[in-house]
Amino acid sequence: MTPIPETLDDVTRGKTVEQRGLWFEEYEVGTTYLHRPGRTATEADNTLFTTLTMNTQALHLDAAYGAETEFGERLVNSMWTLSTLVGLSVAQLTMGTIVANLGFSEISFPAPMKAGDTLYAETTVEDKRESKSRPGQGIVTLRHTGRNQHGDVVAVAVRQTLVKCAPAS
């Protein structure tokens, strides 16, 4: 078994790349990022998330109740869908470069997610501007869209983020 390197000196002397999100300057308005792989929702995900968040809605927890609804079964908690939609974007866009999540200006769930559905995320950069009050940072508006395995839109969220500018070289 190869030991895990403790310092950069223990790694090859070649070029190294650390995974990170985008600096403010790297965002381009109109660019869409596809976040892969997707995430398949399980019954355990739904039950755990729903109970952890104290949401006692029968539509998420009670199979007999769900069977009597127009959907014919329980639905995945839409807050799990929203959290996972944003989470799928982190590695590609904001890991280590976000300062703060400033808020959401739009959230919708045009179609339900059910256990066994796979959520695929994409994010379009809608706007960006340098912060007027925080030098070295900028505000980026992101439109996250979640689709199931059939391509149906199941969630849309427009989010404003405060992002670091690239460090001076």
Side-chain angles (χ1 to χ4, degrees), residues 109-127:
F109 304 100
M113 286 275 296
K114 299 177 180 180
D117 283 348
T118 300
L119 179 64
Y120 294 96
E122 58 195 56
T123 302
T124 301
V125 180
E126 289 200 329
D127 190 34

Side-chain angles (χ1 to χ4, degrees), residues 84-153:
T84 305
L85 172 61
V86 172
L88 285 167
S89 75
V90 168
Q92 195 172 15
L93 296 181
T94 60
M95 185 182 308
T97 57
I98 193 170
V99 176
N101 187 27
L102 299 177
F104 293 86
S105 58
E106 176 187 331
I107 299 172
S108 63
F109 304 100
M113 286 275 296
K114 299 177 180 180
D117 283 348
T118 300
L119 179 64
Y120 294 96
E122 58 195 56
T123 302
T124 301
V125 180
E126 289 200 329
D127 190 34
K128 70 180 242 187
R129 68 170 178 82
E130 290 186 17
S131 174
K132 294 174 183 141
S133 61
R134 298 181 66 111
Q137 299 174 359
I139 297 169
V140 180
T141 301
L142 305 169
R143 176 175 291 274
H144 301 289
T145 302
R147 299 177 190 276
N148 65 17
Q149 67 276 14
H150 306 295
D152 302 324
V153 175

Side-chain angles (χ1 to χ4, degrees), residues 6-81:
E6 293 185 22
T7 68
L8 193 54
D9 289 338
D10 295 334
V11 181
T12 177
R13 296 283 180 196
K15 181 178 179 181
T16 60
V17 177
E18 183 175 351
Q19 183 175 349
R20 65 164 171 81
L22 302 177
W23 302 116
F24 174 76
E25 296 84 354
E26 295 174 309
Y27 284 95
E28 293 182 30
V29 173
T31 300
T32 298
Y33 296 87
L34 305 179
H35 311 299
R36 301 295 183 266
R39 176 67 161 77
T40 301
T42 67
E43 288 193 24
D45 292 328
N46 188 46
T47 300
L48 179 61
F49 185 91
T50 299
T51 56
L52 282 174
T53 57
M54 302 295 290
N55 180 340
T56 57
Q57 174 54 252
L59 189 55
H60 306 309
L61 294 172
D62 185 330
Y65 176 86
E68 297 299 318
T69 68
E70 65 186 272
F71 306 107
E73 62 185 298
R74 289 182 294 166
L75 299 182
V76 170
N77 187 317
S78 59
M79 294 297 100
W80 180 92
T81 303

